[in-house]
């Protein structure tokens, strides 16, 4: 554990309000008592370390929480800190936070016929983004009898969820969702869906220009 802390401390500064109690005062590991407030505007790395398997399962009706907890994991791919790697077959997103260390999130990827691979960068970030369905999507859904709006303002009913990170000049985004039960499945039209609490966590720690790799 000390080695993990040292590796992250060497790469990042502590960037958010964390209610950490010193081990010398309590006899506890300070990581285990860090604040778990994922709604903070900026997330400290002690907070990242403290989250994952210890979190309770999503409550029924909670559209913000993922049914699959995020984790801090060893990650041996040759990628610089800050890189986002999305694995379609695994349906997971890895955000590299240090050499050999990444935060692993469950995501929903493109369904059959909508999967894609490639490399791009985060070109824009938006909170509670407006959804503008592409024309081919509107036509496709119209054939099924479903009328999509030309545009929808951000909000709890918006399918882009609470945050979006746009990939280059493409139509694809890493974004939130109001359908958390799609997480861990192949159900999107090509975008990468995350539960709102997870996309907010990632959004707070990703810079414009971050490299994004989507692989099979």
């Amino acid at each position: 554990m000390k080695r993990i802390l040292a590796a992250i401390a060497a790469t990042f500064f502590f960037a958010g309000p964390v209610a950490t109690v010193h081990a010398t005062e309590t006899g506890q590991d300070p990581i285990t008592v860090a604040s778990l407030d994922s709604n903070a505007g900026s997330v400290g790395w002690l907070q990242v370390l403290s989250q994952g398997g210890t979190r309770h399962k999503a409550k029924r009706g909670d559209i913000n929480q993922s049914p699959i907890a995020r984790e801090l994991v060893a990650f041996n791919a040759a990628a610089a800190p800050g890189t986002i790697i999305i694995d379609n077959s695994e349906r997971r997103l890895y955000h590299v936070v240090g050499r050999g260390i990444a935060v692993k999130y469950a995501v929903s990827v493109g369904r059959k016929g909508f999967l894609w691979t490639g490399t791009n960068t985060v070109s824009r970030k938006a909170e509670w983004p407006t959804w503008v369905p592409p024309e081919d999507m509107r036509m496709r859904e119209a054939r099924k009898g479903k009328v999509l709006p030309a545009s929808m303002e951000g909000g709890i009913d918006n399918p882009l969820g609470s945050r979006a990170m746009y990939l280059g000049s493409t139509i694809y985004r890493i974004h939130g969702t109001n359908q958390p039960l799609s997480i861990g499945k192949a159900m999107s039209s090509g975008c990468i869906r995350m539960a709102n609490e997870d996309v907010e966590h990632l959004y707070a720690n990703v810079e414009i220009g971050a490299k994004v790799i989507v692989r099979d």
Side-chain angles (χ1 to χ4, degrees):
M1 182 59 72
K2 289 181 179 178
R3 286 195 297 272
I4 293 176
L5 283 172
I8 292 181
T11 311
F12 295 94
F13 59 89
F14 296 113
V18 287
T20 305
V21 180
H22 294 293
T24 54
E25 298 173 358
T26 65
Q28 293 178 294
D29 184 338
I31 295 171
T32 64
V33 293
S35 166
L36 298 184
D37 181 9
S38 63
N39 292 321
S42 185
V43 181
W45 289 105
L46 281 179
Q47 191 172 334
V48 171
L49 283 168
S50 64
Q51 297 180 20
T54 59
R55 199 181 67 215
H56 296 300
K57 291 183 179 180
K59 297 177 181 178
R60 179 173 293 182
D62 184 348
I63 67 169
N64 294 309
Q65 191 171 351
S66 176
I68 305 170
R70 60 181 174 263
E71 304 174 82
L72 187 75
V73 297
F75 190 69
N76 296 322
T83 303
I84 294 171
I85 298 177
I86 297 157
D87 190 302
N88 283 328
S89 59
E90 191 182 356
R91 298 165 191 171
R92 295 294 185 271
L93 180 153
Y94 295 88
H95 183 216
V96 180
V97 297
R99 297 294 179 184
I101 303 171
V103 181
K104 177 182 178 182
Y105 304 85
V107 297
S108 177
V109 300
R111 61 187 182 272
K112 187 176 180 180
F114 291 87
L115 277 176
W116 60 279
T117 59
T119 300
N120 218 308
T121 58
V122 174
S123 56
R124 184 164 74 90
K125 297 168 62 177
E127 298 186 10
W128 295 105
T130 297
W131 180 43
V132 181
E135 186 60 30
D136 61 342
M137 177 185 287
R138 296 181 67 204
M139 293 174 62
R140 187 170 62 245
E141 293 302 312
R143 288 194 292 269
K144 301 176 186 176
K146 184 176 182 180
V147 178
L148 296 183
S151 177
M152 179 185 287
E153 293 297 316
I156 200 67
D157 295 322
N158 191 305
L160 296 187
S162 61
R163 302 289 186 273
M165 287 156 276
Y166 294 77
L167 304 183
S169 59
T170 72
I171 63 172
Y172 300 120
R173 295 149 293 208
I174 299 168
H175 64 77
T177 183
N178 54 16
Q179 296 180 300
L181 292 182
S182 69
I183 301 302
K185 302 174 183 177
M187 292 183 63
S188 83
S189 296
C191 285
I192 307 303
R193 295 182 189 172
M194 304 178 73
N196 282 333
E197 67 166 10
D198 279 349
V199 79
E200 290 174 20
H201 188 270
L202 178 65
Y203 183 100
N205 294 295
V206 168
E207 302 290 338
I208 299 293
K211 187 176 184 179
V212 179
I213 301 169
V214 181
R215 66 189 188 188
D216 287 329

